[in-house]
Amino acid sequence: MGEALLKRAIDNDSDEKLKRLEVISAGTSTVDGMPASVNSVAALKRIDVDISKHRSTFLTQKLVDEAYAIFAMARSHIDILKHNYKNLPPRVMTVLEAENPSGNPDIADPYGGGIDDYLDVRDEVARAIPSIVEYLKNELEKD
């Protein structure tokens, strides 16, 4: 959901540097090629975002090496990154840390939950997207 929401925000922004970034969703506990869950598709469809063709990607060292920034759903995901991957980019944080660095950094994984769980996650991520966009713009200005 985060990939689609961030892509939409970047598409709607006029910043040319921001538009040069490639947004990719990749997981540490997935298999390449799995479709998005039915509830993920349904939650985003309610706000006119179509992820029905999305397929999962396993996070590789190559993707980490090429990453400008990595936004994780939870601190535990960052711990996995630090343990399993080398040369993390300097910009690694949870989605919520971009919005509120002193608040709860984690978004609960809705996997296995009902549609309401997915709607809650969608809304949490959507609220954080403007802060992520601003963060990326600020970082790109420094480069």
Side-chain angles (χ1 to χ4, degrees), residues 109-131:
D109 188 345
Y111 185 77
I115 186 66
D116 289 339
D117 298 316
Y118 283 80
L119 293 171
D120 289 345
V121 167
R122 179 204 66 196
D123 293 345
E124 276 190 287
V125 172
R127 278 192 300 275
I129 292 294
S131 296

Side-chain angles (χ1 to χ4, degrees), residues 57-91:
T57 300
F58 180 76
L59 184 65
T60 63
Q61 184 64 54
K62 183 177 187 297
L63 287 174
V64 170
D65 292 342
E66 295 172 352
Y68 181 78
I70 297 176
F71 298 95
M73 297 294 279
R75 293 297 309 170
S76 62
H77 297 159
I78 293 174
D79 292 340
I80 291 168
L81 290 174
K82 289 177 179 177
H83 185 262
N84 294 328
Y85 299 92
K86 301 177 210 164
N87 307 318
L88 294 178
R91 299 163 201 89

Side-chain angles (χ1 to χ4, degrees), residues 1-120:
M1 288 191 282
E3 175 187 351
L5 293 170
L6 184 55
K7 281 181 176 179
R8 182 173 73 171
I10 290 173
D11 287 348
N12 291 330
D13 197 283
S14 61
D15 189 297
E16 289 305 316
K17 286 183 179 180
L18 187 66
K19 289 182 181 292
R20 285 187 227 137
L21 294 177
E22 181 180 7
V23 177
I24 299 171
S25 172
T28 58
S29 299
T30 191
V31 175
D32 283 339
M34 298 296 295
S37 71
V38 171
N39 284 335
S40 291
V41 173
L44 287 177
K45 186 175 183 177
R46 291 185 184 190
I47 57 169
D48 297 320
V49 176
D50 182 9
I51 62 165
S52 61
K53 292 184 172 91
H54 173 81
R55 295 296 178 261
S56 63
T57 300
F58 180 76
L59 184 65
T60 63
Q61 184 64 54
K62 183 177 187 297
L63 287 174
V64 170
D65 292 342
E66 295 172 352
Y68 181 78
I70 297 176
F71 298 95
M73 297 294 279
R75 293 297 309 170
S76 62
H77 297 159
I78 293 174
D79 292 340
I80 291 168
L81 290 174
K82 289 177 179 177
H83 185 262
N84 294 328
Y85 299 92
K86 301 177 210 164
N87 307 318
L88 294 178
R91 299 163 201 89
V92 177
M93 68 181 68
T94 69
V95 168
L96 294 182
E97 283 175 316
E99 178 186 30
N100 182 5
S102 61
N104 177 10
D106 297 339
I107 295 176
D109 188 345
Y111 185 77
I115 186 66
D116 289 339
D117 298 316
Y118 283 80
L119 293 171
D120 289 345

